[in-house]
Amino acid sequence: MSLDFRKRGAAALLAGAAALGLLATGCSSGGSAGGDTTTLVAYTGQAGDYQINFNPFSPSRIGALGTIYEPLFFHNKAEVSDPVPLLGTESSWSEDGTVLSVTLREDVKWSDGEAFTADDVVFTFDMIKNNPAINTGGFDGTVAAVDDTHVTLTFAEPSFVRGPDLLNTPIVPEHLWKDVNPAEDVMEQPVGTGAWLLEDFKPQAFTYKANPDYWGGEPAVKQIRFLALSGNQAGADAIAAGTVDWQTGPIPDIQNTNENFPNYDAYTQAQNQMVLSTCSSAEMGCEGPQTDPAVRQALYYAMDRSQINSLAFMDTASDMSPTFALTPSQDSFVSAAVAEKTVPMEPDTAKAAELLEAAGWTMGDDGVYEKDGERLSLTVEVVTGWTDYITAVDTITSQAAAAGIEIKAAQSSWNEWTDKKGKGNFQLAIDSLWQGPIADPYYLYAYFFESTSGAKVGEAAGNNYSRYSNPVVDEAMAALVQLPLDDPAARQPHFDAIQAEIVRDMPYIPILTGGTTSVWNTAKFTGWPSDDDLYAFPAVWSAMDAAEIFKQLEPKG
């Protein structure tokens, strides 16, 4: 149950007229973002006003994960490392993988002064189990409090692989949440155990303040302000103006950030795999040509990925496997039976035509394929202001036209885009699939390909918003749940089965692995991740990771 949704616009808004004035004048980057050396100003890509919601289980939340609501442990998906104890201090599995025992931290208080106990952990997991809309990982265990600082999670079958996600679940206070609908209710005044508290919310910005009673000690960064701008260009302008301390997104000539803006450095890591997501299943109510696997495969071969990388991503994107095993760190999981281990970088329009014509599509007089009176015309949903993705869609549009496929772009706010995906009211959406809590493809498959995380069109889906449903995949996933993570020989046949199905069906059409680049203010703060100390995935919109980074930073002033 991944609750770390990839929200490139996870939080942000302009703090006021003064900040707008700075952006308009284009002042140099020598200024101090926000004017306060203990305030960190962040921009995550949020385009348009915030709608208040700090419910950590809502897909439309704007913040609070990690910063306010903490999990039991932090798992670093950027590299192989031990979990960082948070609300939990120790965890262990029984030998048969059916019981996960967790020791909890003592003397922790919720920000309203109430004591944190094992009852809150039991309540949180029971709440998830009893609410299918937020139970995206299919949690079906039994949680029990042994005493105030010890809990057990018991399963009917071995469940080793569930550990990282379970331990990464945000814990909420029973005394405030017992009457909350976690799938639907808006949370305006979040109460958590984290290092920050909500100080102020406006549609243009919201601000956290340091929690003076935090169990780990009051953080050095006293305020975090998330701005909302109009999109990537505004974010780049803010870096040039020195009004933002951290953004994860494109700026011109990003490879020479420090030369162009001496107060800033840029850091890139490849993690999120960019896709054209499809509403793939006609059986689940999806409508349009994209429900035909041949169309999805044809689009896959129609792309000129070298051109997409150059025009849209400044050559910061990297290779990708159609199996969605992340390259190069997960190459060992790629099935030997997969013919193409990585995506083709150059287009193959002949292959696209062969696939379409074998599926009964014929070329129309206007140069667009058609079948049973339906033109092969598809609309791609993209968030307004995401200039890199908008450029990618524009580039794919011209490439697809050469293969007889018409692509149109539809821009909308992040909230509208999210709603369309969640309810299945889309044909294609450009997005990315994120990694799990550890370097293992099981988690991405569980998030995006298991049928339990899907839903019929019109109903709210979990992470599997493509509505993909395949009994072979579900069976293989059920088998993987029962196997220890350190038994590759036993696990690989199940990965082979999954990959054969998803490479053929392609409900998410692979583009490239996104080079996730953060630009941050090194003149104002120290302690940012680096190659020598990659203690968290460095993306401001990756909430749990960002929370750990915020805690590590020290103001220079």
Side-chain angles (χ1 to χ4, degrees):
M1 114 201 59
S2 173
L3 298 168
D4 188 16
F5 296 92
R6 180 184 190 265
K7 183 175 178 184
R8 300 173 82 235
L13 290 172
L14 199 41
L20 281 168
L22 281 173
L23 291 178
T25 59
C27 61
S28 74
S29 62
S32 173
D36 179 354
T37 57
T38 62
T39 297
L40 187 148
V41 182
Y43 177 56
T44 63
Q46 173 76 15
D49 284 357
Y50 280 113
Q51 296 181 19
I52 192 167
N53 189 3
F54 294 96
N55 176 349
F57 303 105
S58 170
S60 63
R61 70 179 175 271
I62 60 172
L65 271 180
T67 47
I68 294 175
Y69 296 107
E70 294 184 297
L72 297 169
F73 292 82
F74 167 70
H75 291 79
N76 180 11
K77 58 178 171 279
E79 64 180 14
V80 177
S81 59
D82 292 333
V84 176
L86 294 174
L87 293 178
T89 58
E90 296 178 1
S91 69
S92 62
W93 280 102
S94 61
E95 187 174 350
D96 66 355
T98 61
V99 180
L100 176 60
S101 299
V102 182
T103 301
L104 304 178
R105 190 175 298 278
E106 298 183 25
D107 300 322
V108 174
K109 291 187 180 298
W110 297 101
S111 57
D112 64 356
E114 292 288 322
F116 161 77
T117 73
D119 290 339
D120 296 306
V121 178
V122 173
F123 168 79
T124 298
F125 282 106
D126 281 344
M127 179 183 68
I128 291 170
K129 181 179 178 179
N130 295 328
N131 286 272
I134 66 170
N135 191 10
T136 57
F139 172 64
D140 57 0
T142 300
V143 190
V146 179
D147 54 40
D148 273 357
T149 57
H150 294 83
V151 297
T152 57
L153 291 84
T154 303
F155 301 88
E157 297 180 325
S159 300
F160 295 103
V161 297
R162 297 184 186 273
D165 265 343
L166 294 169
L167 299 176
N168 197 47
T169 300
I171 305 301
V172 296
E174 179 181 17
H175 66 283
L176 296 176
W177 277 70
K178 56 188 177 183
D179 296 321
V180 169
N181 181 330
E184 298 179 6
D185 286 357
V186 170
M187 191 62 57
E188 296 188 2
Q189 298 178 328
V191 171
T193 60
W196 284 274
L197 313 170
L198 179 64
E199 181 175 50
D200 179 67
F201 172 84
K202 292 182 175 62
Q204 299 80 26
F206 67 87
T207 304
Y208 296 142
K209 64 179 179 180
N211 181 357
D213 300 318
Y214 181 53
W215 59 261
E218 183 175 350
V221 176
K222 301 306 179 187
Q223 285 187 320
I224 306 167
R225 182 171 299 119
F226 290 95
L227 305 182
L229 305 176
S230 59
N232 290 344
Q233 183 56 55
D237 291 344
I239 294 295
T243 55
V244 164
D245 295 312
W246 182 11
Q247 82 152 17
T248 304
I251 66 171
D253 195 22
I254 203 164
Q255 292 88 347
N256 296 306
T257 295
N258 186 249
E259 180 180 336
N260 296 331
F261 310 112
N263 285 352
Y264 293 86
D265 265 328
Y267 188 89
T268 300
Q269 196 196 30
Q271 277 268 329
N272 293 304
Q273 298 175 86
M274 298 182 289
V275 295
L276 288 177
S277 304
T278 76
C279 193
S280 66
S281 173
E283 290 76 12
M284 299 295 282
C286 298
E287 297 180 354
Q290 82 287 345
T291 59
D292 184 346
V295 169
R296 305 196 290 264
Q297 286 276 355
L299 261 175
Y300 172 79
Y301 285 106
M303 291 187 215
D304 183 338
R305 291 174 174 80
S306 295
Q307 185 182 53
I308 294 169
N309 198 7
S310 175
L311 295 179
F313 305 117
M314 292 181 285
D315 290 321
T316 61
S318 58
D319 215 344
M320 182 174 177
S321 172
T323 67
F324 289 94
L326 187 66
T327 57
S329 61
Q330 298 173 21
D331 283 355
S332 63
F333 295 106
V334 177
S335 172
V338 172
E340 295 179 356
K341 301 296 191 287
T342 57
V343 297
M345 296 304 293
E346 309 306 322
D348 188 343
T349 54
K351 178 71 171 178
E354 177 185 338
L355 288 162
L356 290 172
E357 290 167 11
W361 293 87
T362 57
M363 181 62 73
D365 294 338
D366 60 355
V368 175
Y369 278 97
E370 59 184 18
K371 181 179 180 181
D372 299 330
E374 180 182 37
R375 295 176 73 249
L376 212 177
S377 179
L378 296 162
T379 298
V380 181
E381 306 292 339
V382 62
V383 175
T384 301
W386 286 4
T387 54
D388 52 348
Y389 275 6
I390 291 168
T391 301
V393 172
D394 288 345
T395 307
I396 292 170
T397 296
S398 63
Q399 296 169 356
I405 303 170
E406 181 178 71
I407 297 290
K408 301 175 182 177
Q411 295 186 34
S412 60
S413 71
W414 182 86
N415 290 314
E416 293 170 320
W417 176 80
T418 301
D419 186 68
K420 288 178 181 178
K421 290 193 307 172
K423 294 180 180 176
N425 298 322
F426 74 104
Q427 293 179 318
L428 305 175
I430 188 166
D431 197 4
S432 25
L433 308 190
W434 59 85
Q435 293 299 304
I438 61 174
D440 191 295
Y442 166 84
Y443 299 96
L444 184 144
Y445 298 152
Y447 302 159
F448 296 102
F449 292 94
E450 270 197 297
S451 62
T452 54
S453 186
K456 289 185 177 296
V457 169
E459 299 174 5
N463 296 331
N464 180 8
Y465 56 88
S466 76
R467 275 85 182 154
Y468 183 62
S469 181
N470 185 320
V472 174
V473 171
D474 288 346
E475 183 179 348
M477 292 298 295
L480 284 166
V481 166
Q482 302 187 43
L483 297 173
L485 290 166
D486 59 358
D487 190 351
R491 300 175 81 221
Q492 191 59 49
H494 304 296
F495 284 132
D496 293 347
I498 291 166
Q499 291 170 13
E501 299 296 307
I502 68 175
V503 169
R504 182 196 66 228
D505 295 342
M506 208 166 280
Y508 305 93
I509 306 168
I511 302 175
L512 289 162
T513 302
T516 301
T517 301
S518 276
V519 179
W520 44 49
N521 192 329
T522 53
K524 189 173 168 184
F525 297 98
T526 62
W528 299 104
S530 66
D531 285 341
D532 294 330
D533 189 11
L534 194 57
Y535 60 84
F537 173 50
V540 70
W541 41 254
S542 185
M544 296 296 190
D545 296 276
E548 290 303 302
I549 292 171
F550 291 144
K551 286 191 285 188
Q552 294 279 346
L553 295 178
E554 294 280 347
K556 279 190 172 181

